[in-house]
Amino acid sequence: MGVIILLVMAAGVAAMLTRKIPTAFALVLLAVAIAVLAGAPATGKNSVLDTVVQEGAPMLAATMIAILLGSWLGRLLDETGIAGTLVRKIVEFGGDRPVVVALGVLAVSTLVGTVTGSAPAAMLAGIVGIPAMIAVGIPKTTAAGTILMGIAAGMPFELPIWQFFSTALELPVETVREFMLKLFPFALTAAVAFVLVETRRRGVEHTWSLRTAPPKSSQRKRLGDAPWYALLTPVIPLVLALGFELAIIPSLLAGILYAVLTTTRPGQISKRLLRTFYSGVEVAAPPIALFIAIGMLLAAVKLPGAVDALAPLVKGVSPQNAVLFVIVFTVLVPLCLYRGPLNVFGLGAGIAGVLIAAGIYPAAAVLGLATSYNQVFGVSDPTSTQTVWAAQYAGVTPQQVMVRTLPYVWFVALGGICVTAATSL
Amino acid sequence: MTVVRATPATWHPDDIDHAVRLLAATPTHEGRDPDLLRQWALTATEFGASLPATPCHARIVQLQGGLDEGLLARYTSRPAPTLTLFTDSVQLAERVIAENGWRDWYPPGSVRAAALAHEAVHAQLHHGPHRARLKRALGHVVLRFGRRRVYGHVAGTEEIAAHAYAQVTCGLGRSPLVLTTALSEHLNLPPLTHSDRREN
Ligand SMILES: [Zn+2]
């Protein structure tokens, strides 16, 4: 039966790869199929409808709320001009030296990446940041890569991600935080190295473009400069969650309040809060759909029937020796790309669930693997929205961005997997 | 800072309009005061016109495919300084000039010359001392300590300077930006906007 479940999973991956079905829908179908194959009854204890669908759907509810708050804060950073002001200041101060501008935009992306993830984060830093970098001579692929590497450097501190791994892998938030602190130096080193090495290798690029400005200004409306103390907004949730060990949702809410109080006249506050909340909901819709589906998939692979069927198969191929562990999982890194089977926000979440439920690795080791893969997925996957957006906005293909960034994020994954083998195996 | 003005003695107001639009569409200038943008456009134009004529030391490469990339020419500083001239774009530009009856403004062969001159300015500003002078001329103060001032970089002004330099050194009757706009319309290229959003 285990083999059949694996075949069904492979079919699911194929459906996602070929984009026959959106990832979220494919995962729901997979969850139901796995539960049925595992011999789960329709209703009752460990059943298809009650356990997988009813209890699985809200399993990651705390993550969904965190994502929603992150998106809300992201919308506020945009609407209040905080993100735009940060980028504008960087260009004004460092515009003569392209590498300084790129490092500055990288820093802004990292800050933004701690608040929200995926395409919304790329847009926040990139809508002004990418054309600004190109205007000072940074080549397009480097410009897109800088945004993505920056967001990924902030990812270890992205509070919704902490919540996701904490719930999905049934680990306390403190454990997740501890590992993320060890992963962060690798992510930051790789990001800074990307900017320094790539600007050195590719130099600057200036063009005579055939594209011109629109005759009538269809530009974004004037936002004005946000006051300097408002620019601290992105670090507020981080300081609270990291420094004061406050819970994730109150930390994010504090950031939202700080952003609106420092930028908005009192009479406008509730209106602005409500408006940005609603557009935040829209921004958060794709990840929320995914998290509903992942919850069901996790519930399905944890069914006793599924664990019994899959455990012997997975056990046979999972390396226990630390050196082998590092080699095998580092070589498998590309499997998290193109919606592959190790994509943490896809079937990879289910595989992580199997590894833990079957007792093959300790949950902390699975956390290390999943977060390391996430660093690769977040930057280089040419099918994920942030990579597609950043590449297209810069005027290159997502594949070009993947080729340029993959060596750097592969190094991050190697670092994370080494730490995992040393501490959690 | 005095800027030595070269020919032409007065700029066509429409040329400056084109430059202002280019600045307005450059990120970091969203919603900036149009009068300030006009002042910057004029300053950058005069600065570009005042640049000493320098031969371009970059390697020159001629390629097809400029129309696909939306480019007329490109300067890259690494691995070796290289100036790429897109021959298909240059050919189209010459055709559009002829069709519009703009030969007085842009004599035959002037597009190629202008492209080389344009990219030579980028090379010169990237390697040479002139960049600081442009910053001082623009006078965009971003920080003050007592009497000391820190001047900020104004994105897009180097592009305007490059076009002005090309116009003067190649003896063009109008700014290359006028030609760029015509080409853009001819190709029906989407204008530069900063709000392209896409979700999958
Ligand atoms: Zn140029």
Side-chain angles (χ1 to χ4, degrees), chain B residues 4 27 39 50 82 87 93 96 106 109 125 130 137 143 149 160 173-174 195:
Chain B
V4 185
Q39 188 197 320
S50 76
T82 304
T87 47
V96 168
Y106 309 105
L125 288 176
H130 298 293
L143 207 62
R149 283 149 188 228
I160 292 171
R174 292 291 304 274
S195 50

Side-chain angles (χ1 to χ4, degrees), chain A residues 5 30-41 46-49 52 299-301 303 306:
Chain A
I5 292 180
L30 262 183
V32 172
I34 290 170
V36 170
L37 288 172
N46 290 327
S47 67
V48 179
L49 294 181
V52 174
V301 297
L303 289 172

Side-chain angles (χ1 to χ4, degrees), chain A residues 206-208, chain B residues 118-119 122 159 162:
Chain A
H206 286 284
T207 60
W208 176 350
Chain B
H118 177 113
E119 301 303 338
H122 284 310
E159 190 62 12

Side-chain angles (χ1 to χ4, degrees), chain A residues 393-419:
Chain A
Y393 192 62
V396 293
T397 66
Q399 285 74 19
Q400 286 173 292
V401 174
M402 172 183 74
V403 169
R404 192 71 67 78
T405 53
L406 194 55
Y408 297 89
V409 286
W410 210 325
F411 157 81
V412 179
L414 171 65
I417 294 169
C418 283
V419 170

Side-chain angles (χ1 to χ4, degrees), chain A residues 16-17 19 23 117-120 122-123 144 148-149 151-152 155 286-287 290 336-340 343-346 373-393 396-399 401-402 405 409, chain B residues 198-200:
Chain A
M16 290 185 264
L17 271 174
R19 305 204 168 214
T23 305
S118 191
M123 286 177 189
L148 296 166
M149 293 295 297
I151 292 167
M155 219 150 53
L290 209 49
C336 72
L337 302 175
Y338 287 102
R339 290 159 204 260
N343 167 11
V344 181
F345 297 104
Y373 282 155
N374 190 32
Q375 293 296 130
V376 178
F377 171 76
V379 174
S380 298
D381 179 16
T383 60
S384 68
T385 50
Q386 71 270 25
T387 311
V388 171
W389 183 85
Q392 291 186 339
Y393 192 62
V396 293
T397 66
Q399 285 74 19
V401 174
M402 172 183 74
T405 53
V409 286
Chain B
R198 183 185 180 281
E199 294 281 337
N200 78 342

Side-chain angles (χ1 to χ4, degrees), chain A residues 56-410:
Chain A
M59 185 190 284
L60 298 171
T63 308
M64 296 177 212
I65 301 297
I67 289 275
L68 188 52
L69 294 181
S71 306
W72 187 8
L73 184 50
R75 292 298 306 139
L76 271 171
L77 290 181
D78 184 35
E79 196 187 291
T80 59
I82 291 174
T85 304
L86 280 169
V87 175
R88 189 156 53 239
K89 293 277 175 230
I90 285 159
V91 171
E92 288 182 346
F93 278 100
D96 298 2
R97 280 149 297 163
V99 65
V100 174
V101 173
L103 284 174
V105 174
L106 181 81
V108 172
S109 311
T110 303
L111 275 179
V112 166
T114 65
V115 170
T116 180
S118 191
M123 286 177 189
L124 259 181
I127 282 182
V128 182
I130 288 177
M133 282 188 279
I134 293 173
V136 301
I138 300 283
K140 293 168 179 175
T141 315
T142 313
T146 299
I147 295 286
L148 296 166
M149 293 295 297
I151 292 167
M155 219 150 53
F157 292 130
E158 190 188 339
L159 303 185
I161 296 275
W162 291 7
Q163 187 69 61
F164 169 66
F165 285 116
S166 165
T167 317
L169 307 180
E170 297 180 47
L171 284 164
V173 171
E174 294 79 67
T175 312
V176 177
R177 182 172 57 211
E178 243 169 70
F179 184 81
M180 291 302 203
L181 281 172
K182 293 176 192 149
L183 190 60
F184 174 66
F186 292 103
L188 185 68
T189 307
V192 173
F194 174 83
V195 171
L196 294 181
V197 173
E198 292 301 323
T199 48
R200 180 126 194 90
R201 270 179 65 203
R202 312 275 157 174
V204 296
E205 179 177 314
H206 286 284
T207 60
W208 176 350
S209 173
L210 295 176
R211 291 180 84 187
T212 49
K216 269 268 151 45
S217 180
S218 64
Q219 304 302 311
R220 288 157 44 95
K221 283 190 212 75
R222 170 158 188 88
L223 295 168
D225 275 8
W228 68 267
Y229 45 85
L231 304 184
L232 300 174
T233 300
V235 297
I236 300 285
L238 198 60
V239 168
L240 293 177
L242 204 62
F244 295 87
E245 309 208 348
L246 220 62
I248 288 166
I249 289 174
S251 300
L252 285 166
L253 278 173
I256 288 165
L257 281 180
Y258 185 85
V260 79
L261 289 176
T262 51
T263 55
T264 314
R265 269 184 269 117
Q268 301 288 315
I269 286 180
S270 40
K271 218 173 128 194
R272 172 170 266 174
L273 278 177
L274 206 57
R275 185 175 60 234
T276 48
F277 175 73
Y278 287 157
S279 56
V281 172
E282 200 183 324
V283 170
I288 286 178
L290 209 49
F291 286 123
I292 295 171
I294 290 175
M296 293 192 206
L297 181 65
L298 283 170
V301 297
K302 285 180 193 166
L303 289 172
V307 172
D308 291 343
L310 290 171
L313 289 173
V314 181
K315 207 163 229 150
V317 295
S318 303
Q320 295 297 328
N321 166 292
V323 176
L324 214 56
F325 178 90
V326 170
I327 294 173
V328 167
F329 285 108
T330 303
V331 169
L332 292 182
V333 157
L335 290 185
C336 72
L337 302 175
Y338 287 102
R339 290 159 204 260
L342 294 183
N343 167 11
V344 181
F345 297 104
L347 187 58
I351 291 180
V354 174
L355 290 174
I356 295 174
I360 292 161
Y361 295 124
V366 177
L367 168 77
L369 283 178
T371 52
S372 300
Y373 282 155
N374 190 32
Q375 293 296 130
V376 178
F377 171 76
V379 174
S380 298
D381 179 16
T383 60
S384 68
T385 50
Q386 71 270 25
T387 311
V388 171
W389 183 85
Q392 291 186 339
Y393 192 62
V396 293
T397 66
Q399 285 74 19
Q400 286 173 292
V401 174
M402 172 183 74
V403 169
R404 192 71 67 78
T405 53
L406 194 55
Y408 297 89
V409 286
W410 210 325

